[in-house]
Amino acid sequence: MKIVQISEFGDPSTLRLIEAKIPTPTPNQALIKVRACGVNPIDFKTRRGLGFVAEKVKTRMPWTPGYDIAGEIVEVNGAGLSFEPGDRVCGLVNFPLPAGGYSEYIALPTDNLVKIPAELSYVQAAALPLAGLTAWQGLFEVGALCAGQKVVILAAAGGVGHLAAQLAKSKSAHVWGTASKPHHDFLSSMGVTPVDYHNPHELEKLRNMDFVFDAVGGETGLVALDFLSPKGALVTLPTISATSICDAAKVQGKQASGYTVHPDPRRLQALLTSAAKEKLHVEVQATFSLAQAAEAHRMLEGGHVRGKIVLTMD
């Protein structure tokens, strides 16, 4: 089989397509023929040597990225498991290590897998796990978002952002979303009020917000503290800058929290069901072959991606 690996941190050229043996599932594992794999910012940040996963990866090279997989079960090792050969499955798998989704086959425990509804393609299913769970957990588990609140989603057209915007709307929140002008029609189509983050006058609209969902971090996250009402709360996603944003919030007497996504098969199944019923739209801007993983990383690192990028194995 073919897999993508890095043997050192660096630019996208460090992603190498190599041949490897198809793994054999150990007890309570399934062997999955991967049909599609989501590409996420954590993939390229780790490849560059940034973030908490990179700290662990540096002693475990070579490393294969990829946490979102969708595919078909080939073999199950163990009695009493709820899957069988031929099942279409997806999941947030092997997070944070060992990852391994950029691969034609993968053997892993079945506890984080869920079945893909018939209405969804492998590409749609692979685009949803990490981004969808990240959005849900940030809004509702960490942020305790309530109906009627004024919410702004930073980078609302992005992979996590466009899902967070829809989930907030589904809970009857009033939602604004920052994005560049070319994405404003996309946000409007989801019932989100678009705000051009390049325009200081438009950013003035974002005052006295009850909730800020920060999918950008860094200086943008620090500035977004100004958007909060006195009792508002900010939840920031990027782990690299979470501590500095939370510390700044304390100094200002404001509430901010960082978090890391965790697998949740029951919630993922609910998100997939919503997507199958067309209550949740999963936007995929581009697909690349496994051999084009470096090109996929370059596109995602370049910014301004609408929704998700997915690798396909066929």
Side-chain angles (χ1 to χ4, degrees), residues 6 9-10 15 37-57 63-68 92-102 129-131 134 159-160 215 237-240 259-262 297 300-301 308-309:
I6 63 168
F9 296 132
L15 293 162
C37 180
V39 180
N40 295 288
I42 194 172
D43 300 349
F44 74 71
K45 290 176 182 177
T46 304
R47 190 211 72 229
R48 290 166 58 185
L50 303 174
F52 77 101
V53 177
E55 281 298 308
K56 301 176 185 295
V57 164
W63 179 68
T64 295
Y67 297 106
D68 286 333
L92 170 58
V93 299
N94 291 341
F95 185 85
L97 285 177
Y102 292 17
L130 190 147
T134 297
V160 175
L237 169 57
T239 57
I240 294 172
Y259 71 109
T260 302
V261 67
H262 59 85
H297 275 223
L300 190 58
E301 285 182 273
K308 294 295 301 290
I309 294 173

Side-chain angles (χ1 to χ4, degrees), residues 106-177:
I106 188 170
L108 44 80
T110 60
D111 53 358
N112 289 323
L113 296 175
V114 298
K115 293 180 181 179
I116 303 171
E119 297 88 346
L120 296 181
S121 68
Y122 285 121
V123 168
Q124 290 172 302
L128 188 55
L130 190 147
L133 290 174
T134 297
W136 177 273
Q137 291 166 14
L139 289 172
F140 304 112
E141 294 183 6
V142 182
L145 177 68
C146 299
Q149 286 188 315
K150 295 170 60 179
V151 180
V152 58
I153 311 293
L154 306 186
V160 175
H162 85 289
L163 298 172
Q166 293 175 76
L167 292 171
K169 284 289 294 183
S170 73
K171 296 298 180 181
S172 301
H174 306 289
V175 184
W176 286 255

Side-chain angles (χ1 to χ4, degrees), residues 13-295:
S13 68
T14 60
L15 293 162
R16 303 291 174 83
L17 187 69
I18 67 166
E19 291 284 342
K21 290 184 178 180
I22 295 176
T24 300
T26 58
N28 298 317
Q29 284 193 335
L31 175 66
I32 299 166
K33 180 175 178 58
V34 180
R35 301 290 188 176
C37 180
V39 180
N40 295 288
I42 194 172
D43 300 349
F44 74 71
K45 290 176 182 177
T46 304
R47 190 211 72 229
R48 290 166 58 185
L50 303 174
F52 77 101
V53 177
E55 281 298 308
K56 301 176 185 295
V57 164
K58 66 184 180 182
T59 60
R60 301 179 62 156
M61 296 287 192
W63 179 68
T64 295
Y67 297 106
D68 286 333
I69 66 106
E72 179 183 337
I73 290 185
V74 176
E75 178 185 350
V76 176
N77 185 346
L81 300 180
S82 56
F83 299 99
E84 59 185 26
D87 284 345
R88 301 168 72 243
V89 296
C90 72
L92 170 58
V93 299
N94 291 341
F95 185 85
L97 285 177
Y102 292 17
S103 178
E104 291 184 323
Y105 290 86
I106 188 170
L108 44 80
T110 60
D111 53 358
N112 289 323
L113 296 175
V114 298
K115 293 180 181 179
I116 303 171
E119 297 88 346
L120 296 181
S121 68
Y122 285 121
V123 168
Q124 290 172 302
L128 188 55
L130 190 147
L133 290 174
T134 297
W136 177 273
Q137 291 166 14
L139 289 172
F140 304 112
E141 294 183 6
V142 182
L145 177 68
C146 299
Q149 286 188 315
K150 295 170 60 179
V151 180
V152 58
I153 311 293
L154 306 186
V160 175
H162 85 289
L163 298 172
Q166 293 175 76
L167 292 171
K169 284 289 294 183
S170 73
K171 296 298 180 181
S172 301
H174 306 289
V175 184
W176 286 255
T178 66
S180 57
K181 279 283 190 181
H183 297 308
H184 283 199
D185 286 346
F186 175 58
L187 296 187
S188 295
S189 72
M190 297 187 294
V192 175
T193 302
V195 176
D196 183 2
Y197 63 86
H198 295 296
N199 188 331
H201 297 294
E202 288 208 19
L203 291 176
E204 286 299 317
K205 300 174 183 177
L206 304 179
R207 299 295 176 184
N208 294 313
M209 290 285 159
D210 300 307
F211 191 105
V212 175
F213 183 91
D214 169 29
V216 181
E219 187 63 30
T220 298
L222 290 170
V223 171
L225 291 170
D226 294 338
F227 302 159
L228 290 174
S229 68
K231 294 184 179 181
L234 179 146
V235 171
T236 185
L237 169 57
T239 57
I240 294 172
S241 57
T243 298
S244 62
I245 292 170
C246 292
D247 287 347
K250 284 183 181 178
V251 171
Q252 298 177 31
K254 296 178 179 178
Q255 181 180 341
S257 304
Y259 71 109
T260 302
V261 67
H262 59 85
D264 183 344
R266 291 180 64 184
R267 177 52 54 190
L268 176 56
Q269 192 73 74
L271 292 170
L272 288 163
T273 299
S274 292
K277 293 180 177 179
E278 299 185 348
K279 294 180 178 179
L280 179 68
H281 171 67
V282 183
E283 179 79 2
V284 177
Q285 176 168 329
T287 60
F288 293 87
S289 70
L290 190 61
Q292 296 173 310
E295 294 177 47

Side-chain angles (χ1 to χ4, degrees), residues 3-14:
I3 65 173
V4 172
Q5 284 186 342
I6 63 168
S7 296
E8 60 184 358
F9 296 132
D11 64 27
S13 68
T14 60

